[in-house]
Amino acid sequence: MVFRSLRRAALGVGGPAVDTVLDDPVCRPGESLAGAVHLTGGERDAEIERIVLTLVTRDGSGTRELGRHEPAGEFRLRAGQARAVPVTLALGLDTPITHVYGERVPGLAVGVRTELGVAFAHDPGDLDFVAVHPLPAEAAALEALRALGFRLNSADASQVFEFWVAPQYQAIATEVAVGFTTGAEFVELVLAGTARTRRDRGEQVDWAAEVDRLMRQIGQI
């Protein structure tokens, strides 16, 4: 699948235009986004000073930069010339998950901003949004929460999910914060900031049983 940005930002009358194309906007933490920045020369030659791709996340608290990549140094773009600059942008394991249960989490977004610097002009860039899905271990834990009857309420860029608690745990709490810390070899599930379990990412885990144990642990605190 090819995802094409609809943005074509011209820098001044008759200036160059930029169009970012990602091979696939669907990704997971720890993977890479690949594609190309397509440039089209304007009515006159232009000195391209820099191309900057920035991975950012946005939630109700604002916008935060997650990573940056400069795929090309200075070069001249001739009038009317078409040039494609290949790009690869790595996603850290802490990249916020924007899609849960196949749907976008309201109020949370991750995107790639393409900035084009031209002599005597600068395009601040717009966001091309990407869909960040959970890693398999995270997805399995989230699916266990849904199977138990928990209902997702919200999430933020710190990767904390707020759930309405399943009916069988109403005596313990009505809402619970669910967080993930994921490393190269492990995933840690944290409930209410205190009850936690860490497992190998490739391990087969009965996450429903783990969530049940953690909720009962919270009830004893």
Side-chain angles (χ1 to χ4, degrees):
M1 176 174 62
V2 174
F3 173 74
R4 180 174 297 276
S5 166
L6 298 179
R7 181 176 64 90
R8 292 181 56 80
L11 289 90
V13 177
V18 59
D19 187 16
T20 300
V21 180
L22 298 177
D23 295 340
D24 190 346
V26 180
C27 53
R28 291 182 175 84
E31 297 180 346
S32 295
L33 291 167
V37 176
H38 291 260
L39 300 165
T40 304
E43 297 175 0
R44 57 189 179 276
D45 293 357
E47 298 297 329
I48 306 299
E49 297 179 338
R50 65 190 177 278
I51 299 172
V52 180
L53 267 68
T54 306
L55 185 71
V56 302
T57 182
R58 179 185 294 166
D59 63 8
S61 300
T63 300
R64 177 169 60 92
E65 182 177 314
L66 300 173
R68 179 176 289 224
H69 175 55
E70 296 191 26
E74 296 183 13
F75 62 92
R76 171 169 289 190
L77 186 69
R78 301 292 183 183
Q81 177 187 1
R83 176 166 178 172
V85 179
V87 295
T88 302
L89 189 61
L91 278 66
L93 287 170
D94 59 346
T95 302
I97 297 166
T98 64
H99 285 64
V100 175
Y101 310 134
E103 299 182 358
R104 182 175 176 272
V105 178
L108 178 61
V110 170
V112 177
R113 174 178 290 126
T114 305
E115 299 176 61
L116 184 64
V118 180
F120 309 113
H122 176 255
D123 167 31
D126 290 334
L127 278 182
D128 293 321
F129 294 102
V130 297
V132 186
H133 290 259
L135 291 163
E138 298 166 337
L142 289 166
E143 189 57 48
L145 284 159
R146 180 165 68 168
L148 285 168
F150 289 76
R151 293 183 294 115
L152 180 62
N153 181 16
S154 64
D156 60 31
S158 67
Q159 208 50 108
V160 174
F161 300 89
E162 295 288 343
F163 279 85
W164 299 113
V165 171
Q168 61 269 35
Y169 305 110
Q170 290 291 315
I172 298 173
T174 56
E175 296 180 66
V176 66
V178 177
F180 290 101
T181 300
T182 304
E185 304 294 336
F186 72 90
V187 60
E188 184 176 65
L189 173 66
V190 183
L191 267 62
T194 56
R196 64 189 65 220
T197 181
R198 177 179 290 204
R199 296 301 186 95
D200 291 341
R201 277 176 49 181
E203 182 181 353
Q204 294 296 317
V205 179
D206 185 344
W207 286 108
E210 286 297 293
V211 170
D212 179 77
R213 181 179 66 81
L214 294 176
M215 287 301 299
R216 297 186 188 283
Q217 179 181 328
I218 293 168
Q220 297 172 0
I221 294 175

